[in-house]
Amino acid sequence: MLDRQYSFENYFASSADLIVDSLKSLVMGKGESQLGLWGEASSGKTHLLNACARYAREADISLQIYDAAQLIESDAMHFEGFEQCDVLAIDNLDAIAGIGVWEERFYQVMNRCRQGEFRFIFSLSVRPQQLDCKLDDFRSRLFWGLLLQLPDNSEDDIRVIMQRRAALLGIDLSNDVISYLLNHHSRNLGSQMQILRLLDSASLLRQRRVTIPLVKQALAEQPPTTQAGLPAR
């Protein structure tokens, strides 16, 4: 299910215009037929692929999106049925590196993309040169289209992203609250987005605005299994 907060409009980065314009062009069939994104954790890869799916849906374009980390739990030979889509999007494609049967499968996928059967978007956590691949042909095909590195987020970027995502939830997030969250919890954006969702629920339940005391109370009430995903710094 697509998160309503995943959109191009709320993607923020120093080179956002180039990245977003390139993805929009591919989805609409006006740019590259293959495009890869790579960047560290929480650089926005999953956000952008889901934004592509939302953009495609609004334009009545068929896009199928998969997480390679989940695909590898199944039989590679059963990965089919995407032939009729306009765009195939694969998040975390680096998860298949070193798994010969899956590398062979995506070697074929990229061949078919080049033949014009569909357009292909993928994301990696590292640059393709760093992948520990079994098939050189798989690695080489990752370079066939446009490759874009997602920039690391500075603290100022993270603050802006947090405020924008909070605003989408209807939360007025003050600078003091943001500073508290960044100083006492992981600066990983995925963890911070999880905290924002918890604060949204706590604020609605208590009919209180989000303040530092509410943050402390709401997070203290989380069970240990949840808190494990919200590491303190």
Side-chain angles (χ1 to χ4, degrees), residues 64-102:
Q64 294 187 28
I65 184 170
Y66 300 89
D67 185 340
Q70 297 176 354
L71 284 179
I72 59 175
E73 298 177 2
S74 59
D75 187 335
M77 299 310 296
H78 293 161
F79 181 56
E80 54 187 16
F82 56 84
E83 294 85 352
Q84 303 305 314
C85 71
D86 298 309
V87 184
L88 175 64
I90 305 292
D91 200 10
N92 302 309
L93 186 58
D94 46 303
I96 75 165
I99 306 176
V101 64
W102 275 106

Side-chain angles (χ1 to χ4, degrees), residues 31-69:
E32 298 280 349
S33 60
Q34 177 176 306
L35 191 156
L37 304 171
W38 68 273
E40 64 178 21
S42 295
S43 59
K45 300 184 295 293
T46 298
H47 182 114
L48 286 167
L49 263 62
N50 278 274
C52 285
R54 177 173 178 171
Y55 184 73
R57 182 179 57 186
E58 292 171 349
D60 198 26
I61 291 171
S62 173
L63 182 149
Q64 294 187 28
I65 184 170
Y66 300 89
D67 185 340

Side-chain angles (χ1 to χ4, degrees), residues 72-139:
I72 59 175
E73 298 177 2
S74 59
D75 187 335
M77 299 310 296
H78 293 161
F79 181 56
E80 54 187 16
F82 56 84
E83 294 85 352
Q84 303 305 314
C85 71
D86 298 309
V87 184
L88 175 64
I90 305 292
D91 200 10
N92 302 309
L93 186 58
D94 46 303
I96 75 165
I99 306 176
V101 64
W102 275 106
E103 288 186 13
E104 174 67 25
R105 192 67 173 128
F106 275 97
Y107 160 85
Q108 297 168 359
V109 165
M110 287 181 278
N111 282 345
R112 293 169 61 182
C113 168
R114 195 165 197 178
Q115 292 166 5
E117 293 188 30
F118 47 80
R119 302 182 289 284
F120 182 48
I121 310 170
F122 63 89
S123 76
L124 304 168
S125 297
V126 297
R127 65 176 70 236
Q129 296 95 322
Q130 294 177 287
L131 292 177
D132 185 13
C133 300
K134 289 184 177 296
L135 301 178
D136 288 337
D137 284 341
F138 165 71
R139 188 201 310 274

Side-chain angles (χ1 to χ4, degrees), residues 10-21 43-44 48 149-158 160-161 164 189:
N10 57 49
Y11 172 70
F12 180 83
S14 58
S15 54
D17 288 347
L18 169 64
I19 294 167
V20 169
D21 288 347
S43 59
L48 286 167
Q149 180 182 5
L150 301 184
D152 297 338
N153 292 308
S154 67
E155 180 168 325
D156 287 343
D157 293 337
I158 293 173
V160 170
I161 293 168
R164 290 186 178 184
L189 277 173

